[in-house]
Amino acid sequence: MKILVTGGAGFIGSNFIRLVLQERTPWEVVNFDKLTYCGNLENLKDIQGDKRYRFVRGDIADRQLVDSLLAENHLDAIINFAAESHVDRSILDASPFMRTNVEGTMVLLEGVNKYKIKKFIHVSTDEVYGSITKGSFSELSNLSPGSPYSASKAAADLLCLAYWNTFKTPVSITRCTNNYGPYQFPEKLIPLAISNVLEGKAVPVYGDGLNVRDWIYVEDHCRALFEVLEKGKPGEVYNIAGSSEKTNIDIVHILLRLLGQKQDMIDFVKDRPGHDRRYSLNDRKIRKELGWKPRHDFNEAMKLTVDWYREHESWWQRIRAGEYLKYYEKMYLNR
Ligand code: NAD
Ligand code: DAU
């Protein structure tokens, strides 16, 4: 089996590729990534010499390049992780989100049709459903995205379903909750909080800190994607949940405890505009139909995660030495 992984130099994509090479030994992987500010080949340094792995730099929205890539490689499946993924950045400038997340997905769908690729997995998010006060969203719930990021992801999901309806393009969509684990770009809450604390800085918490997210260890998400790739049905949507809902302030308290720091290293900053209050998914379908369930306990996996960032300081320090947080300081800290 030969698969194309788009966005494989990012957080989830790099964890997915590593797991494929470890656990699906006959598979070959082509990693197609634009290497935007968060695409980092250092995430895959350990597998660079593997003969089953090849990296190609490029943009999923570049029709000609995608066409020649698909013509050259006889692919069995594509799994699309490539995206602009950070909500705060989408509030400052939505245009790269529209180009990559919407137009890029359309270019891939066209390629799947033209080259008759048998499987296309589109990696989406719980954020497409919007916020929910009580209960959980199922795959049949309406989409009600609340940020430019989630609107771009919802648009891509609808495009995938429309291609299935119109052309029988063999696409399956996954919608997962918040991931954490190794190699997450340190602009997201958990790696940002850990690296701030390790540098002796307070953790910025938006608004009252009572927004709720459901957290899943990245390896459990990757294993759910294996199930969808191997057993999922075309035209279907699969929710993937961590079943670990926490307020942001709880997450920060847990991290401070694991890092052995005082609970007052917190800086309440202004709220994210349009900040979704709570995300929650019902994932009975993937559990029942594909037999998936998360393997990791939340507390143990959080400890593994903190240990990983402690042991890989040079990885995040190199990233933090760059300019990547300038937008953030302007938006939240009025600098
Ligand atoms: P990430 O931002 O860490 O990585 C995205 C990768 O895509 C980077 O390597 C980047 O260089 C690449 N990329 C961006 N634009 C591209 C383009 N035009 N062409 C080719 N490559 C491009 O993101 P992530 O957190 O690993 O998320 C991966 C996917 O999973 C995204 O589609 C995201 O919406 C989805 N998702 C993420 C989470 C989460 O908690 N992180 C949860 C659910 C779903
Ligand atoms: O739910 C899945 C989504 O999770 C993915 O689709 C997105 O790609 C991913 O970025 C993530 O989105 P969130 O906005 O939930 O993640 P983030 O880490 O940015 O924020 C998590 C929560 O913490 C959110 O309520 C905002 C808050 N927050 C975030 C940061 C960066 C803070 O309070 N302080 C911070 O400094």
Side-chain angles (χ1 to χ4, degrees):
M1 169 121 142
K2 186 170 185 181
I3 61 171
L4 179 74
V5 175
T6 69
F11 163 46
I12 307 173
S14 62
N15 279 281
F16 180 80
I17 291 175
R18 184 170 294 98
L19 203 62
V20 167
L21 295 176
Q22 279 166 6
E23 298 197 355
R24 299 293 188 274
T25 43
W27 293 14
E28 284 175 62
V29 179
V30 180
N31 175 11
F32 184 61
D33 194 300
K34 188 177 175 182
L35 298 183
T36 65
Y37 74 95
C38 65
N40 184 356
L41 287 179
E42 223 186 306
N43 299 1
L44 291 162
K45 214 167 55 186
D46 52 327
I47 57 127
Q48 236 142 43
D50 195 310
K51 290 197 173 55
R52 298 164 298 157
Y53 169 76
R54 190 161 80 91
F55 172 71
V56 179
R57 186 171 190 181
D59 183 345
I60 57 164
D62 181 336
R63 209 181 255 264
Q64 269 189 336
L65 186 59
V66 169
D67 193 273
S68 58
L69 183 76
L70 301 189
E72 276 165 29
N73 291 280
H74 298 285
L75 296 164
D76 298 292
I78 299 181
I79 174 150
N80 181 29
F81 293 95
E84 287 294 334
S85 69
H86 194 41
V87 174
D88 290 333
R89 288 180 188 264
S90 79
I91 295 167
L92 287 177
D93 181 7
S95 38
F97 290 74
M98 297 304 140
R99 177 167 161 87
T100 291
N101 300 3
V102 186
E103 212 176 315
T105 303
M106 185 207 61
V107 168
L108 294 175
L109 287 162
E110 288 289 329
V112 170
N113 283 355
K114 181 168 174 189
Y115 292 96
K116 302 194 180 353
I117 294 165
K118 287 186 226 69
K119 215 147 209 197
F120 179 47
I121 310 296
H122 178 69
V123 181
S124 187
T125 168
D126 61 352
E127 300 204 9
V128 296
Y129 298 112
S131 191
I132 187 165
T133 313
K134 277 192 192 144
S136 304
F137 291 117
S138 82
E139 290 82 355
L140 299 174
S141 301
N142 288 336
L143 303 192
S144 181
S147 72
Y149 160 70
S150 51
S152 70
K153 294 294 290 185
D157 284 19
L158 294 176
L159 210 49
C160 288
L161 293 172
Y163 268 64
W164 162 249
N165 182 58
T166 310
F167 307 108
K168 289 289 168 277
T169 309
V171 55
S172 307
I173 297 170
T174 61
R175 296 185 181 140
C176 188
T177 59
N178 284 62
N179 286 222
Y180 63 100
Y183 300 107
Q184 187 167 27
F185 196 82
E187 65 183 349
K188 306 284 166 65
L189 178 65
I190 289 182
L192 179 101
I194 299 171
S195 44
N196 263 23
V197 172
L198 290 174
E199 285 185 344
K201 296 178 186 148
V203 179
V205 171
Y206 300 168
D208 62 8
L210 296 179
N211 301 66
V212 173
R213 298 290 182 266
D214 173 41
W215 294 95
I216 184 169
Y217 190 54
V218 62
E219 189 187 309
D220 285 325
H221 181 192
C222 293
R223 287 186 192 286
L225 296 172
F226 278 180
E227 301 293 351
V228 178
L229 195 53
E230 291 171 335
K231 297 189 266 176
K233 290 198 194 121
E236 294 289 326
V237 177
Y238 297 94
N239 285 348
I240 304 166
S243 305
S244 296
E245 289 188 28
K246 308 273 177 241
T247 61
N248 293 336
I249 197 73
D250 279 346
I251 289 287
V252 174
H253 285 313
I254 291 165
L255 291 172
L256 287 170
R257 186 171 42 72
L258 286 169
L259 289 158
Q261 294 295 327
K262 290 198 190 124
Q263 293 294 331
D264 62 359
M265 280 182 83
I266 295 174
D267 190 5
F268 283 95
V269 297
K270 67 182 176 189
D271 209 353
R272 173 183 276 175
H275 197 174
D276 283 336
R277 195 62 168 171
R278 175 174 173 260
Y279 298 136
S280 182
L281 294 186
N282 164 340
D283 67 354
R284 277 198 285 274
K285 178 173 172 181
I286 190 168
R287 287 172 183 255
K288 195 164 162 246
E289 293 182 14
L290 306 186
W292 172 87
K293 60 174 194 262
R295 294 184 184 184
H296 288 85
D297 164 74
F298 173 80
N299 291 314
E300 282 166 22
M302 282 292 273
K303 186 174 175 320
L304 286 179
T305 302
V306 167
D307 289 348
W308 189 89
Y309 286 89
R310 267 195 174 127
E311 286 156 16
H312 293 79
E313 286 208 0
S314 61
W315 178 86
W316 54 261
Q317 275 168 351
R318 264 198 291 280
I319 295 172
R320 280 166 69 103
E323 294 285 295
Y324 83 99
L325 276 182
K326 286 281 174 263
Y327 80 96
Y328 178 87
E329 291 176 351
K330 205 166 114 203
M331 192 161 161
Y332 288 106
L333 308 178
N334 295 324
R335 282 190 197 140

